[in-house]
Amino acid sequence: MYVNIKRFIDIILSAIGLIILSPVFIIIVLAIKLDSKGPILFKQKRVGINKSHFYILKFRTMRIDTPKDTPTHLLENPDQWITKVGKFLRKSSQDELPQIINILKGEMSIIGPRPALWNQYDLIEEREKYNANSVLPGLTGWAQVNGRDELPIPLKAKLDGDYVRDISLSLDIKCFILTITSVLSSKGVKEGTVEYPNSQKGYIQ
């Protein structure tokens, strides 16, 4: 029952968000165009519900000659690829705002596991153990508010599974509030190579 209500909430809140944030969108668009050559939006193939594929939307934060489908932490000296405006957008998570469109289209939800890259087979396989591929991916999620980029893949997948198991309105509200806190503090955001215990690596979204 909540899954249907959740979709309705997603539509209403994302539509309102798109209207309210339209002035911010305009400012970001102008800043990107003035800062570097290339498109305003960045599209990337990601894994959606039931391991289907869709193209996630972000404001472009990197140069147009950046290697494609490579997580930022796997790039050598990632700072050389990130634009000046991009650094600010990534740190403040404002590069994620166009995903409001993905939510309206029904490809994502406001709250849910962050969509993996299509070639992040280790994360996709690990999530399958917890049935975490069976829900719409989210703009933010339980794993993001409990470590974000700092988490090794097994723990990230388990947290995503915990969310799917306990999914509810109260949990979504908790995730939303904690996300605001995390964004304001930039907690858990890392650029460059990140090493984890047991040779596990996380990924930058």
Side-chain angles (χ1 to χ4, degrees), residues 142-198:
W142 189 235
Q144 273 57 50
V145 299
N146 280 285
R148 205 170 177 176
D149 299 329
E150 296 176 340
L151 298 175
I153 283 175
L155 178 55
K156 182 171 292 190
K158 182 182 182 303
L159 287 168
D160 288 333
D162 291 343
Y163 171 79
V164 174
R165 182 194 64 208
D166 301 327
I167 188 169
S168 64
L169 177 60
S170 60
L171 182 57
D172 278 0
I173 292 174
K174 185 175 183 179
C175 282
F176 187 80
I177 294 174
L178 290 174
T179 295
I180 295 175
T181 303
S182 296
V183 168
L184 291 176
S185 64
S186 296
K187 182 179 179 182
V189 178
K190 290 189 179 297
E191 303 288 3
T193 301
V194 184
E195 295 294 339
Y196 294 95
N198 303 320

Side-chain angles (χ1 to χ4, degrees), residues 65-120:
D65 57 341
T66 303
K68 295 182 179 180
D69 293 326
T70 302
T72 308
H73 75 279
L74 293 181
L75 292 172
E76 185 176 351
N77 187 17
D79 282 341
Q80 70 175 313
W81 303 106
I82 303 173
T83 65
K84 293 178 181 178
V85 170
K87 289 180 181 179
F88 170 75
L89 293 177
R90 290 165 75 94
K91 186 174 182 179
S92 62
S93 295
Q94 291 184 58
D95 60 317
E96 311 284 357
L97 291 178
Q99 287 159 48
I100 292 175
I101 298 172
N102 290 119
I103 295 172
L104 279 171
K105 291 172 65 178
E107 298 167 332
M108 291 178 63
S109 177
I110 295 175
I111 310 294
R114 279 297 292 166
L117 280 166
W118 67 272
N119 57 359
Q120 285 183 298

Side-chain angles (χ1 to χ4, degrees), residues 18-57:
L18 197 58
I19 295 171
I20 294 177
L21 293 172
S22 56
V24 177
F25 274 61
I26 294 173
I27 293 172
I28 293 176
V29 166
L30 292 175
I32 292 173
K33 295 302 291 183
L34 291 173
D35 183 49
S36 62
K37 294 181 180 180
I40 296 167
L41 294 178
F42 169 69
K43 298 180 181 181
Q44 190 176 57
K45 192 176 180 180
R46 294 289 181 114
V47 179
I49 187 171
N50 297 322
K51 294 189 285 188
S52 60
H53 290 157
F54 73 101
Y55 285 90
I56 197 171
L57 300 176

